[in-house]
Amino acid sequence: MTSTDNSAQQAAKAPAKDPWDLPDVSGLVVGVLGGTGPQGKGLAYRLARAGQKVIIGSRAAERAQSAADELGHGVEGADNAECARRSDIVIVAVPWDGHGKTLESLREELSGKLVVDCVNPLGFDKKGAYALKPEEGSAAEQAAALLPDSRVTAAFHHLSAVLLQDPEVEEIDTDVMVLGEDRADVEMVQALAGRIPGMRGIFSGRLRNAHQVESLVANLISVNRRYKAHAGLRVTDV
């Protein structure tokens, strides 16, 4: 048997990578665009409380700093451009109606960054919330189209802003569905989600599947209204 045969045989017998063997992201700086809104502010608080370095971004630096001061835990505030420049991972938590323009204006600052889109395109009428279908397919796919030099993933869609911001809540009992094109980037986002007590990041496919993940928030809003709850998701048998 040749050395080449031996190498091939060893490679074939190599155990599959443990899907829970995730990278250490504790030293990375996380920026939150839209960090003065309920969801962004809640995520910033939870990550900072877990020991992550967090920068809140807003169109107005003063507004961002005011929100950062309110959160404590070392959170800093900056305008969106500075937030993007100084961060290793950038969470996009802006309102859907400003999603495209915000990202387009930050294309240069977000170049080379790992971007995590958690925006849910929703409409509301007298019947309640309903999902919108962006031309690109989803908010995450719109982000990928607008940010060709960034590594775009999708995650953190199904979290209750009320629970995230409540200092009396020690753990957030939920799973986070993470989507993306590059497995290494997805695993970084999974690891980031896992920094928050009670939370797991679960690989959930590529960005082409982001629409149904974003849309599910409309169903959760109906659940919450009916049962006066702050519902989340758990993936069973994983």
Side-chain angles (χ1 to χ4, degrees):
M1 183 177 289
T2 67
S3 60
T4 302
D5 291 334
N6 280 328
S7 298
Q9 193 174 53
Q10 289 172 1
K13 293 181 178 179
K17 182 180 181 293
D18 182 350
W20 298 112
D21 181 16
L22 301 174
D24 179 8
V25 296
S26 60
L28 299 181
V29 178
V30 177
V32 184
L33 303 179
T36 59
Q39 186 181 27
K41 196 172 182 180
L43 278 169
Y45 172 68
R46 286 291 158 179
L47 289 169
R49 180 168 159 171
Q52 206 77 34
K53 176 59 186 173
V54 177
I55 303 172
I56 280 179
S58 177
R59 285 178 296 177
E62 298 80 6
R63 187 179 176 200
Q65 189 57 55
S66 176
D69 292 341
E70 182 182 335
L71 293 179
H73 296 282
V75 177
E76 294 183 34
D79 63 50
N80 283 330
E82 183 183 350
C83 173
R85 279 194 298 267
R86 292 178 55 195
S87 302
D88 302 303
I89 301 176
V90 180
I91 297 174
V92 181
V94 299
W96 165 239
D97 59 6
H99 182 263
K101 288 184 178 180
T102 299
L103 295 185
E104 191 172 19
S105 71
L106 296 171
R107 182 175 297 167
E108 182 178 345
E109 290 82 1
L110 291 171
S111 177
K113 307 286 185 178
L114 175 53
V115 174
V116 187
D117 200 298
C118 66
V119 175
N120 303 303
L122 297 176
F124 295 87
D125 60 19
K126 62 183 180 181
K127 293 183 179 181
Y130 60 94
L132 302 175
K133 185 69 176 285
E135 182 179 346
E136 298 84 355
S138 64
E141 288 169 294
Q142 183 183 88
L146 292 171
L147 304 172
D149 298 321
S150 303
R151 296 135 53 207
V152 177
T153 61
F156 300 116
H157 301 91
H158 307 135
L159 305 181
S160 163
V162 173
L163 295 183
L164 288 173
Q165 293 184 76
D166 188 344
E168 299 300 317
V169 175
E170 296 294 331
E171 296 188 0
I172 306 294
D173 182 24
T174 193
D175 287 331
V176 172
M177 302 179 77
V178 185
L179 304 96
E181 299 304 314
D182 186 277
R183 186 62 60 87
D185 290 338
V186 169
E187 289 181 348
M188 288 182 69
V189 181
Q190 288 180 261
L192 187 66
R195 297 272 290 155
I196 300 174
M199 197 176 289
R200 296 188 307 173
I202 304 290
F203 169 68
S204 303
R206 295 179 179 270
L207 289 186
R208 68 182 183 180
N209 294 319
H211 171 65
Q212 56 263 39
V213 174
E214 296 169 0
S215 300
L216 189 57
V217 173
N219 302 89
L220 289 178
I221 289 173
S222 296
V223 170
N224 289 337
R225 287 181 174 173
R226 177 65 179 86
Y227 297 100
K228 305 293 188 272
H230 303 294
L233 297 178
R234 274 295 188 201
V235 179
T236 62
D237 200 32
V238 175

mmCIF file of all heavy atoms in Angstrom, residues 175-224:
data_model
loop_
_atom_site.group_PDB
_atom_site.id
_atom_site.type_symbol
_atom_site.label_atom_id
_atom_site.label_comp_id
_atom_site.label_asym_id
_atom_site.label_seq_id
_atom_site.Cartn_x
_atom_site.Cartn_y
_atom_site.Cartn_z
ATOM 1 N N ASP A 175 -33.900 28.708 21.125
ATOM 2 C CA ASP A 175 -32.884 28.416 20.126
ATOM 3 C C ASP A 175 -32.876 29.522 19.081
ATOM 4 O O ASP A 175 -33.901 30.157 18.825
ATOM 5 C CB ASP A 175 -33.156 27.073 19.438
ATOM 6 C CG ASP A 175 -32.867 25.886 20.335
ATOM 7 O OD1 ASP A 175 -31.987 26.013 21.209
ATOM 8 O OD2 ASP A 175 -33.511 24.836 20.174
ATOM 9 N N VAL A 176 -31.722 29.719 18.481
ATOM 10 C CA VAL A 176 -31.554 30.723 17.436
ATOM 11 C C VAL A 176 -31.226 29.999 16.134
ATOM 12 O O VAL A 176 -30.232 29.288 16.051
ATOM 13 C CB VAL A 176 -30.421 31.710 17.786
ATOM 14 C CG1 VAL A 176 -30.118 32.625 16.607
ATOM 15 C CG2 VAL A 176 -30.793 32.527 19.009
ATOM 16 N N MET A 177 -32.069 30.158 15.131
ATOM 17 C CA MET A 177 -31.826 29.559 13.825
ATOM 18 C C MET A 177 -30.834 30.435 13.067
ATOM 19 O O MET A 177 -31.065 31.637 12.895
ATOM 20 C CB MET A 177 -33.136 29.409 13.059
ATOM 21 C CG MET A 177 -34.162 28.571 13.797
ATOM 22 S SD MET A 177 -35.739 28.384 12.924
ATOM 23 C CE MET A 177 -35.275 27.157 11.708
ATOM 24 N N VAL A 178 -29.733 29.824 12.634
ATOM 25 C CA VAL A 178 -28.655 30.560 11.973
ATOM 26 C C VAL A 178 -28.501 30.058 10.543
ATOM 27 O O VAL A 178 -28.367 28.853 10.306
ATOM 28 C CB VAL A 178 -27.323 30.395 12.725
ATOM 29 C CG1 VAL A 178 -26.248 31.273 12.089
ATOM 30 C CG2 VAL A 178 -27.476 30.729 14.205
ATOM 31 N N LEU A 179 -28.525 30.971 9.597
ATOM 32 C CA LEU A 179 -28.411 30.622 8.180
ATOM 33 C C LEU A 179 -27.232 31.358 7.554
ATOM 34 O O LEU A 179 -26.921 32.489 7.953
ATOM 35 C CB LEU A 179 -29.690 30.983 7.426
ATOM 36 C CG LEU A 179 -30.992 30.377 7.968
ATOM 37 C CD1 LEU A 179 -31.695 31.363 8.895
ATOM 38 C CD2 LEU A 179 -31.917 29.973 6.832
ATOM 39 N N GLY A 180 -26.620 30.730 6.568
ATOM 40 C CA GLY A 180 -25.508 31.375 5.891
ATOM 41 C C GLY A 180 -24.899 30.481 4.840
ATOM 42 O O GLY A 180 -25.191 29.281 4.763
ATOM 43 N N GLU A 181 -24.036 31.051 4.026
ATOM 44 C CA GLU A 181 -23.407 30.315 2.930
ATOM 45 C C GLU A 181 -22.113 29.638 3.348
ATOM 46 O O GLU A 181 -21.714 28.635 2.753
ATOM 47 C CB GLU A 181 -23.139 31.271 1.756
ATOM 48 C CG GLU A 181 -24.379 31.915 1.184
ATOM 49 C CD GLU A 181 -25.416 30.900 0.727
ATOM 50 O OE1 GLU A 181 -25.029 29.923 0.047
ATOM 51 O OE2 GLU A 181 -26.600 31.063 1.072
ATOM 52 N N ASP A 182 -21.433 30.185 4.330
ATOM 53 C CA ASP A 182 -20.142 29.643 4.756
ATOM 54 C C ASP A 182 -20.285 29.037 6.149
ATOM 55 O O ASP A 182 -20.691 29.712 7.089
ATOM 56 C CB ASP A 182 -19.081 30.750 4.766
ATOM 57 C CG ASP A 182 -17.697 30.221 5.052
ATOM 58 O OD1 ASP A 182 -17.364 30.044 6.250
ATOM 59 O OD2 ASP A 182 -16.929 29.974 4.100
ATOM 60 N N ARG A 183 -19.937 27.760 6.267
ATOM 61 C CA ARG A 183 -20.146 27.066 7.542
ATOM 62 C C ARG A 183 -19.345 27.710 8.676
ATOM 63 O O ARG A 183 -19.831 27.794 9.813
ATOM 64 C CB ARG A 183 -19.757 25.595 7.394
ATOM 65 C CG ARG A 183 -20.073 24.734 8.608
ATOM 66 C CD ARG A 183 -21.558 24.687 8.927
ATOM 67 N NE ARG A 183 -22.345 24.141 7.845
ATOM 68 C CZ ARG A 183 -22.591 22.847 7.671
ATOM 69 N NH1 ARG A 183 -22.110 21.945 8.503
ATOM 70 N NH2 ARG A 183 -23.355 22.448 6.662
ATOM 71 N N ALA A 184 -18.126 28.179 8.388
ATOM 72 C CA ALA A 184 -17.312 28.799 9.438
ATOM 73 C C ALA A 184 -17.979 30.069 9.968
ATOM 74 O O ALA A 184 -17.968 30.333 11.178
ATOM 75 C CB ALA A 184 -15.915 29.115 8.911
ATOM 76 N N ASP A 185 -18.587 30.852 9.076
ATOM 77 C CA ASP A 185 -19.277 32.067 9.514
ATOM 78 C C ASP A 185 -20.508 31.714 10.345
ATOM 79 O O ASP A 185 -20.784 32.345 11.369
ATOM 80 C CB ASP A 185 -19.696 32.902 8.305
ATOM 81 C CG ASP A 185 -18.517 33.526 7.582
ATOM 82 O OD1 ASP A 185 -17.452 33.676 8.210
ATOM 83 O OD2 ASP A 185 -18.660 33.861 6.395
ATOM 84 N N VAL A 186 -21.251 30.710 9.898
ATOM 85 C CA VAL A 186 -22.431 30.268 10.645
ATOM 86 C C VAL A 186 -22.039 29.814 12.042
ATOM 87 O O VAL A 186 -22.710 30.135 13.034
ATOM 88 C CB VAL A 186 -23.155 29.129 9.888
ATOM 89 C CG1 VAL A 186 -24.220 28.483 10.771
ATOM 90 C CG2 VAL A 186 -23.793 29.665 8.612
ATOM 91 N N GLU A 187 -20.933 29.086 12.142
ATOM 92 C CA GLU A 187 -20.506 28.591 13.453
ATOM 93 C C GLU A 187 -20.092 29.730 14.377
ATOM 94 O O GLU A 187 -20.300 29.650 15.593
ATOM 95 C CB GLU A 187 -19.371 27.590 13.274
ATOM 96 C CG GLU A 187 -19.841 26.270 12.676
ATOM 97 C CD GLU A 187 -18.727 25.255 12.521
ATOM 98 O OE1 GLU A 187 -17.536 25.624 12.663
ATOM 99 O OE2 GLU A 187 -19.051 24.074 12.258
ATOM 100 N N MET A 188 -19.541 30.797 13.822
ATOM 101 C CA MET A 188 -19.216 31.958 14.656
ATOM 102 C C MET A 188 -20.481 32.577 15.234
ATOM 103 O O MET A 188 -20.520 32.968 16.400
ATOM 104 C CB MET A 188 -18.438 32.985 13.842
ATOM 105 C CG MET A 188 -17.008 32.580 13.531
ATOM 106 S SD MET A 188 -16.099 33.846 12.606
ATOM 107 C CE MET A 188 -15.936 35.122 13.856
ATOM 108 N N VAL A 189 -21.531 32.649 14.423
ATOM 109 C CA VAL A 189 -22.799 33.218 14.903
ATOM 110 C C VAL A 189 -23.456 32.275 15.905
ATOM 111 O O VAL A 189 -24.022 32.723 16.914
ATOM 112 C CB VAL A 189 -23.736 33.523 13.719
ATOM 113 C CG1 VAL A 189 -25.037 34.137 14.226
ATOM 114 C CG2 VAL A 189 -23.058 34.470 12.732
ATOM 115 N N GLN A 190 -23.375 30.972 15.653
ATOM 116 C CA GLN A 190 -23.882 30.008 16.631
ATOM 117 C C GLN A 190 -23.178 30.199 17.975
ATOM 118 O O GLN A 190 -23.810 30.177 19.039
ATOM 119 C CB GLN A 190 -23.644 28.585 16.142
ATOM 120 C CG GLN A 190 -24.515 28.120 15.000
ATOM 121 C CD GLN A 190 -24.181 26.687 14.619
ATOM 122 O OE1 GLN A 190 -23.457 26.436 13.666
ATOM 123 N NE2 GLN A 190 -24.705 25.739 15.373
ATOM 124 N N ALA A 191 -21.867 30.353 17.912
ATOM 125 C CA ALA A 191 -21.085 30.535 19.139
ATOM 126 C C ALA A 191 -21.475 31.830 19.846
ATOM 127 O O ALA A 191 -21.555 31.875 21.082
ATOM 128 C CB ALA A 191 -19.596 30.531 18.815
ATOM 129 N N LEU A 192 -21.739 32.866 19.065
ATOM 130 C CA LEU A 192 -22.153 34.142 19.657
ATOM 131 C C LEU A 192 -23.491 33.985 20.366
ATOM 132 O O LEU A 192 -23.665 34.463 21.498
ATOM 133 C CB LEU A 192 -22.247 35.212 18.570
ATOM 134 C CG LEU A 192 -22.512 36.635 19.065
ATOM 135 C CD1 LEU A 192 -21.343 37.156 19.890
ATOM 136 C CD2 LEU A 192 -22.774 37.570 17.879
ATOM 137 N N ALA A 193 -24.436 33.300 19.737
ATOM 138 C CA ALA A 193 -25.733 33.054 20.379
ATOM 139 C C ALA A 193 -25.551 32.276 21.674
ATOM 140 O O ALA A 193 -26.214 32.548 22.679
ATOM 141 C CB ALA A 193 -26.654 32.292 19.427
ATOM 142 N N GLY A 194 -24.634 31.312 21.660
ATOM 143 C CA GLY A 194 -24.392 30.489 22.840
ATOM 144 C C GLY A 194 -23.761 31.216 23.999
ATOM 145 O O GLY A 194 -23.710 30.682 25.115
ATOM 146 N N ARG A 195 -23.298 32.424 23.763
ATOM 147 C CA ARG A 195 -22.747 33.232 24.857
ATOM 148 C C ARG A 195 -23.854 33.693 25.807
ATOM 149 O O ARG A 195 -23.585 34.014 26.964
ATOM 150 C CB ARG A 195 -22.035 34.474 24.290
ATOM 151 C CG ARG A 195 -20.834 34.178 23.423
ATOM 152 C CD ARG A 195 -19.570 34.055 24.233
ATOM 153 N NE ARG A 195 -19.180 35.349 24.767
ATOM 154 C CZ ARG A 195 -18.435 35.532 25.862
ATOM 155 N NH1 ARG A 195 -18.037 34.496 26.560
ATOM 156 N NH2 ARG A 195 -18.095 36.739 26.266
ATOM 157 N N ILE A 196 -25.084 33.737 25.313
ATOM 158 C CA ILE A 196 -26.210 34.194 26.123
ATOM 159 C C ILE A 196 -26.789 32.999 26.863
ATOM 160 O O ILE A 196 -27.197 32.021 26.235
ATOM 161 C CB ILE A 196 -27.283 34.858 25.238
ATOM 162 C CG1 ILE A 196 -26.684 36.058 24.498
ATOM 163 C CG2 ILE A 196 -28.484 35.279 26.079
ATOM 164 C CD1 ILE A 196 -27.624 36.692 23.487
ATOM 165 N N PRO A 197 -26.819 33.019 28.189
ATOM 166 C CA PRO A 197 -27.324 31.868 28.957
ATOM 167 C C PRO A 197 -28.714 31.428 28.515
ATOM 168 O O PRO A 197 -29.623 32.252 28.337
ATOM 169 C CB PRO A 197 -27.341 32.397 30.398
ATOM 170 C CG PRO A 197 -26.262 33.437 30.423
ATOM 171 C CD PRO A 197 -26.337 34.106 29.077
ATOM 172 N N GLY A 198 -28.877 30.112 28.314
ATOM 173 C CA GLY A 198 -30.148 29.538 27.924
ATOM 174 C C GLY A 198 -30.359 29.448 26.430
ATOM 175 O O GLY A 198 -31.308 28.822 25.961
ATOM 176 N N MET A 199 -29.473 30.045 25.654
ATOM 177 C CA MET A 199 -29.663 30.159 24.212
ATOM 178 C C MET A 199 -28.710 29.226 23.467
ATOM 179 O O MET A 199 -27.577 29.017 23.902
ATOM 180 C CB MET A 199 -29.420 31.617 23.791
ATOM 181 C CG MET A 199 -29.954 31.993 22.429
ATOM 182 S SD MET A 199 -29.709 33.770 22.080
ATOM 183 C CE MET A 199 -30.919 34.503 23.204
ATOM 184 N N ARG A 200 -29.176 28.654 22.365
ATOM 185 C CA ARG A 200 -28.329 27.868 21.471
ATOM 186 C C ARG A 200 -28.460 28.406 20.047
ATOM 187 O O ARG A 200 -29.545 28.825 19.635
ATOM 188 C CB ARG A 200 -28.744 26.401 21.434
ATOM 189 C CG ARG A 200 -28.617 25.627 22.696
ATOM 190 C CD ARG A 200 -28.885 24.136 22.443
ATOM 191 N NE ARG A 200 -30.167 23.904 21.766
ATOM 192 C CZ ARG A 200 -30.575 22.714 21.313
ATOM 193 N NH1 ARG A 200 -29.799 21.651 21.455
ATOM 194 N NH2 ARG A 200 -31.749 22.582 20.734
ATOM 195 N N GLY A 201 -27.378 28.350 19.300
ATOM 196 C CA GLY A 201 -27.419 28.646 17.876
ATOM 197 C C GLY A 201 -27.495 27.341 17.106
ATOM 198 O O GLY A 201 -26.686 26.440 17.327
ATOM 199 N N ILE A 202 -28.465 27.214 16.195
ATOM 200 C CA ILE A 202 -28.701 25.986 15.442
ATOM 201 C C ILE A 202 -28.535 26.268 13.948
ATOM 202 O O ILE A 202 -29.213 27.152 13.399
ATOM 203 C CB ILE A 202 -30.126 25.450 15.680
ATOM 204 C CG1 ILE A 202 -30.398 25.239 17.173
ATOM 205 C CG2 ILE A 202 -30.355 24.168 14.889
ATOM 206 C CD1 ILE A 202 -29.649 24.101 17.787
ATOM 207 N N PHE A 203 -27.633 25.534 13.282
ATOM 208 C CA PHE A 203 -27.488 25.685 11.836
ATOM 209 C C PHE A 203 -28.811 25.324 11.165
ATOM 210 O O PHE A 203 -29.377 24.256 11.399
ATOM 211 C CB PHE A 203 -26.374 24.769 11.316
ATOM 212 C CG PHE A 203 -26.350 24.675 9.819
ATOM 213 C CD1 PHE A 203 -25.996 25.761 9.047
ATOM 214 C CD2 PHE A 203 -26.706 23.489 9.176
ATOM 215 C CE1 PHE A 203 -25.991 25.684 7.658
ATOM 216 C CE2 PHE A 203 -26.705 23.393 7.795
ATOM 217 C CZ PHE A 203 -26.340 24.500 7.033
ATOM 218 N N SER A 204 -29.303 26.210 10.281
ATOM 219 C CA SER A 204 -30.639 26.027 9.706
ATOM 220 C C SER A 204 -30.688 26.203 8.195
ATOM 221 O O SER A 204 -31.758 26.468 7.640
ATOM 222 C CB SER A 204 -31.627 26.999 10.367
ATOM 223 O OG SER A 204 -31.652 26.824 11.769
ATOM 224 N N GLY A 205 -29.541 26.086 7.536
ATOM 225 C CA GLY A 205 -29.546 26.135 6.082
ATOM 226 C C GLY A 205 -28.898 27.377 5.512
ATOM 227 O O GLY A 205 -28.278 28.170 6.211
ATOM 228 N N ARG A 206 -29.039 27.524 4.215
ATOM 229 C CA ARG A 206 -28.450 28.640 3.490
ATOM 230 C C ARG A 206 -29.396 29.838 3.433
ATOM 231 O O ARG A 206 -30.569 29.733 3.795
ATOM 232 C CB ARG A 206 -28.049 28.191 2.085
ATOM 233 C CG ARG A 206 -26.933 27.132 2.082
ATOM 234 C CD ARG A 206 -26.581 26.709 0.679
ATOM 235 N NE ARG A 206 -25.498 25.723 0.682
ATOM 236 C CZ ARG A 206 -24.210 26.024 0.626
ATOM 237 N NH1 ARG A 206 -23.833 27.301 0.572
ATOM 238 N NH2 ARG A 206 -23.285 25.081 0.609
ATOM 239 N N LEU A 207 -28.879 30.949 2.947
ATOM 240 C CA LEU A 207 -29.661 32.184 2.944
ATOM 241 C C LEU A 207 -30.932 32.081 2.100
ATOM 242 O O LEU A 207 -31.900 32.802 2.350
ATOM 243 C CB LEU A 207 -28.818 33.360 2.437
ATOM 244 C CG LEU A 207 -27.715 33.870 3.365
ATOM 245 C CD1 LEU A 207 -27.083 35.124 2.767
ATOM 246 C CD2 LEU A 207 -28.248 34.172 4.759
ATOM 247 N N ARG A 208 -30.962 31.184 1.115
ATOM 248 C CA ARG A 208 -32.167 31.057 0.310
ATOM 249 C C ARG A 208 -33.360 30.577 1.139
ATOM 250 O O ARG A 208 -34.509 30.696 0.703
ATOM 251 C CB ARG A 208 -31.930 30.097 -0.857
ATOM 252 C CG ARG A 208 -31.729 28.645 -0.448
ATOM 253 C CD ARG A 208 -31.454 27.769 -1.657
ATOM 254 N NE ARG A 208 -31.329 26.364 -1.278
ATOM 255 C CZ ARG A 208 -31.095 25.386 -2.156
ATOM 256 N NH1 ARG A 208 -30.939 25.689 -3.435
ATOM 257 N NH2 ARG A 208 -30.993 24.143 -1.747
ATOM 258 N N ASN A 209 -33.086 30.048 2.328
ATOM 259 C CA ASN A 209 -34.153 29.597 3.221
ATOM 260 C C ASN A 209 -34.499 30.634 4.298
ATOM 261 O O ASN A 209 -35.242 30.319 5.232
ATOM 262 C CB ASN A 209 -33.753 28.289 3.898
ATOM 263 C CG ASN A 209 -33.638 27.141 2.913
ATOM 264 O OD1 ASN A 209 -34.464 27.022 2.019
ATOM 265 N ND2 ASN A 209 -32.612 26.321 3.061
ATOM 266 N N ALA A 210 -33.978 31.838 4.161
ATOM 267 C CA ALA A 210 -34.185 32.840 5.211
ATOM 268 C C ALA A 210 -35.608 33.383 5.240
ATOM 269 O O ALA A 210 -36.084 33.807 6.298
ATOM 270 C CB ALA A 210 -33.193 33.994 5.046
ATOM 271 N N HIS A 211 -36.294 33.361 4.113
ATOM 272 C CA HIS A 211 -37.624 33.989 4.084
ATOM 273 C C HIS A 211 -38.583 33.357 5.079
ATOM 274 O O HIS A 211 -39.268 34.054 5.832
ATOM 275 C CB HIS A 211 -38.214 33.918 2.675
ATOM 276 C CG HIS A 211 -39.643 34.351 2.603
ATOM 277 N ND1 HIS A 211 -40.035 35.653 2.875
ATOM 278 C CD2 HIS A 211 -40.790 33.667 2.325
ATOM 279 C CE1 HIS A 211 -41.357 35.749 2.764
ATOM 280 N NE2 HIS A 211 -41.834 34.562 2.426
ATOM 281 N N GLN A 212 -38.627 32.020 5.113
ATOM 282 C CA GLN A 212 -39.579 31.390 6.025
ATOM 283 C C GLN A 212 -39.187 31.574 7.483
ATOM 284 O O GLN A 212 -40.049 31.606 8.372
ATOM 285 C CB GLN A 212 -39.768 29.901 5.716
ATOM 286 C CG GLN A 212 -38.520 29.053 5.718
ATOM 287 C CD GLN A 212 -37.944 28.852 4.327
ATOM 288 O OE1 GLN A 212 -37.952 29.779 3.513
ATOM 289 N NE2 GLN A 212 -37.463 27.665 4.044
ATOM 290 N N VAL A 213 -37.895 31.716 7.753
ATOM 291 C CA VAL A 213 -37.441 31.981 9.119
ATOM 292 C C VAL A 213 -37.871 33.383 9.545
ATOM 293 O O VAL A 213 -38.383 33.591 10.647
ATOM 294 C CB VAL A 213 -35.918 31.809 9.223
ATOM 295 C CG1 VAL A 213 -35.410 32.236 10.597
ATOM 296 C CG2 VAL A 213 -35.530 30.353 8.952
ATOM 297 N N GLU A 214 -37.656 34.352 8.654
ATOM 298 C CA GLU A 214 -38.083 35.726 8.946
ATOM 299 C C GLU A 214 -39.608 35.800 9.088
ATOM 300 O O GLU A 214 -40.140 36.492 9.967
ATOM 301 C CB GLU A 214 -37.617 36.659 7.828
ATOM 302 C CG GLU A 214 -36.095 36.757 7.699
ATOM 303 C CD GLU A 214 -35.643 37.467 6.441
ATOM 304 O OE1 GLU A 214 -36.507 37.893 5.646
ATOM 305 O OE2 GLU A 214 -34.418 37.597 6.249
ATOM 306 N N SER A 215 -40.318 35.079 8.216
ATOM 307 C CA SER A 215 -41.787 35.140 8.200
ATOM 308 C C SER A 215 -42.411 34.552 9.448
ATOM 309 O O SER A 215 -43.512 34.956 9.854
ATOM 310 C CB SER A 215 -42.316 34.385 6.974
ATOM 311 O OG SER A 215 -41.829 34.943 5.781
ATOM 312 N N LEU A 216 -41.751 33.581 10.057
ATOM 313 C CA LEU A 216 -42.309 32.900 11.225
ATOM 314 C C LEU A 216 -42.587 33.860 12.383
ATOM 315 O O LEU A 216 -43.408 33.573 13.253
ATOM 316 C CB LEU A 216 -41.365 31.787 11.671
ATOM 317 C CG LEU A 216 -41.856 30.827 12.752
ATOM 318 C CD1 LEU A 216 -43.159 30.148 12.328
ATOM 319 C CD2 LEU A 216 -40.790 29.790 13.067
ATOM 320 N N VAL A 217 -41.925 35.000 12.364
ATOM 321 C CA VAL A 217 -42.153 35.989 13.420
ATOM 322 C C VAL A 217 -43.609 36.446 13.429
ATOM 323 O O VAL A 217 -44.169 36.733 14.487
ATOM 324 C CB VAL A 217 -41.189 37.184 13.265
ATOM 325 C CG1 VAL A 217 -41.526 38.289 14.255
ATOM 326 C CG2 VAL A 217 -39.757 36.724 13.467
ATOM 327 N N ALA A 218 -44.236 36.511 12.264
ATOM 328 C CA ALA A 218 -45.649 36.893 12.210
ATOM 329 C C ALA A 218 -46.498 35.898 13.000
ATOM 330 O O ALA A 218 -47.435 36.287 13.705
ATOM 331 C CB ALA A 218 -46.124 36.965 10.762
ATOM 332 N N ASN A 219 -46.170 34.612 12.906
ATOM 333 C CA ASN A 219 -46.897 33.590 13.681
ATOM 334 C C ASN A 219 -46.639 33.740 15.171
ATOM 335 O O ASN A 219 -47.548 33.594 15.991
ATOM 336 C CB ASN A 219 -46.476 32.197 13.227
ATOM 337 C CG ASN A 219 -46.721 31.968 11.747
ATOM 338 O OD1 ASN A 219 -45.846 32.263 10.940
ATOM 339 N ND2 ASN A 219 -47.896 31.496 11.382
ATOM 340 N N LEU A 220 -45.390 34.037 15.539
ATOM 341 C CA LEU A 220 -45.066 34.194 16.956
ATOM 342 C C LEU A 220 -45.779 35.407 17.555
ATOM 343 O O LEU A 220 -46.186 35.381 18.721
ATOM 344 C CB LEU A 220 -43.556 34.328 17.135
ATOM 345 C CG LEU A 220 -42.745 33.055 16.899
ATOM 346 C CD1 LEU A 220 -41.254 33.344 17.055
ATOM 347 C CD2 LEU A 220 -43.164 31.948 17.855
ATOM 348 N N ILE A 221 -45.927 36.457 16.769
ATOM 349 C CA ILE A 221 -46.673 37.624 17.250
ATOM 350 C C ILE A 221 -48.115 37.229 17.560
ATOM 351 O O ILE A 221 -48.689 37.646 18.578
ATOM 352 C CB ILE A 221 -46.614 38.767 16.213
ATOM 353 C CG1 ILE A 221 -45.197 39.357 16.174
ATOM 354 C CG2 ILE A 221 -47.625 39.865 16.549
ATOM 355 C CD1 ILE A 221 -44.987 40.368 15.060
ATOM 356 N N SER A 222 -48.715 36.391 16.698
ATOM 357 C CA SER A 222 -50.080 35.908 16.950
ATOM 358 C C SER A 222 -50.137 35.054 18.214
ATOM 359 O O SER A 222 -51.075 35.160 19.013
ATOM 360 C CB SER A 222 -50.572 35.100 15.744
ATOM 361 O OG SER A 222 -50.661 35.916 14.596
ATOM 362 N N VAL A 223 -49.135 34.192 18.390
ATOM 363 C CA VAL A 223 -49.057 33.371 19.606
ATOM 364 C C VAL A 223 -48.998 34.258 20.839
ATOM 365 O O VAL A 223 -49.716 34.047 21.824
ATOM 366 C CB VAL A 223 -47.822 32.442 19.546
ATOM 367 C CG1 VAL A 223 -47.596 31.766 20.894
ATOM 368 C CG2 VAL A 223 -47.983 31.393 18.453
ATOM 369 N N ASN A 224 -48.120 35.251 20.790
ATOM 370 C CA ASN A 224 -47.925 36.124 21.948
ATOM 371 C C ASN A 224 -49.197 36.888 22.299
ATOM 372 O O ASN A 224 -49.525 37.058 23.483
ATOM 373 C CB ASN A 224 -46.783 37.103 21.676
ATOM 374 C CG ASN A 224 -45.428 36.422 21.668
ATOM 375 O OD1 ASN A 224 -45.255 35.359 22.257
ATOM 376 N ND2 ASN A 224 -44.468 37.029 20.994
#
